[in-house]
Amino acid sequence: MTTRPTLFLTVGLPGTGKTTEARRIEVEEQALRLTKDEWVKALYGLANPPSTSDVIEGRLIEIALRTLELGVNVVIDFGLWGRDERSALRSVAADLGASVTMRYFQLTPTEQRRRLDRRLAEEPHTTWHMSDQELATWAAMMSVPTPGELDGSEPVDDPPAGFATWDEWREHRWPAVIS
């Protein structure tokens, strides 16, 4: 590996511009783009079974990690609402000798709704309907990255209680199979 690869993390709620930015990064940074919604659509069509989400994310993360090992940039495009998720990925990237660039996307609820409605009307094959209640629930779950988390100046947090390492937490959070 002659150059240090970069793991790009797109962070934000649905419709905020993550995939648009991930596509830009893919081209400009010669990165492998891993967009969860594309995989879910390919595998399940109109369905979006909640039981598959963590496993698909986990599989994409494993692909991302192997790609970083090969010295290739990667962009992960699936929200990463939890600081623990971002910390786990920052930790494993550091272990692999990769740098991390995090991009956070935020919109007003009105603009988010407008964008989601437009996407559903113009590209229904790429998305699902999301109710205002779902959007509000997800917004309440979002842990907004701190400035230090975004610029990398904050150290990675310790793993949550009950987990000795971030790798152990990652395997729990993103299981290998649907149970």
Side-chain angles (χ1 to χ4, degrees):
M1 185 166 65
T2 57
T3 62
R4 186 176 180 199
T6 300
L7 175 62
F8 294 90
L9 304 177
T10 61
V11 179
L13 294 167
T16 56
K18 295 181 309 299
T19 300
T20 299
E21 177 68 1
R23 288 180 178 138
R24 188 193 65 71
I25 292 168
E26 175 184 31
V27 172
E28 292 181 7
E29 303 293 338
Q30 298 180 333
L32 174 64
R33 178 175 55 88
L34 299 170
T35 300
K36 180 178 82 172
D37 288 354
E38 292 174 357
W39 286 72
V40 174
K41 276 291 189 181
L43 293 169
Y44 298 99
L46 296 176
N48 188 5
S51 64
T52 65
S53 181
D54 292 346
V55 173
I56 289 173
E57 287 180 8
R59 292 297 179 177
L60 294 177
I61 288 166
E62 292 305 312
I63 293 168
L65 300 181
R66 178 64 183 132
T67 303
L68 291 171
E69 287 176 334
L70 295 170
V72 177
N73 296 331
V74 177
V75 58
I76 292 181
D77 174 25
F78 48 79
L80 300 168
W81 300 344
R83 182 177 172 108
D84 49 3
E85 295 171 320
R86 300 185 302 266
S87 293
L89 293 173
R90 288 174 63 206
S91 174
V92 72
D95 291 347
L96 294 173
S99 62
V100 175
T101 298
M102 194 179 309
R103 308 271 167 82
Y104 173 58
F105 302 87
Q106 183 177 17
L107 294 173
T108 65
T110 301
E111 179 61 15
Q112 181 188 22
R113 173 86 273 154
R114 187 188 69 74
R115 285 187 184 192
L116 290 170
D117 289 346
R118 184 179 70 214
R119 184 170 67 192
L120 188 60
E122 294 175 1
E123 301 179 79
H125 62 284
T126 67
T127 192
W128 300 268
H129 172 74
M130 294 171 230
S131 71
D132 290 341
Q133 180 57 49
E134 286 173 313
L135 295 176
T137 299
W138 298 333
M141 294 168 56
M142 177 77 196
S143 171
V144 174
T146 64
E149 188 183 5
L150 288 169
D151 69 18
S153 63
E154 279 182 25
V156 174
D157 298 334
D158 290 333
F163 297 95
T165 67
W166 276 115
D167 285 339
E168 185 182 314
W169 181 90
R170 191 169 38 87
E171 290 171 10
H172 173 78
R173 168 65 180 85
W174 291 296
V177 297
I178 297 172
S179 46

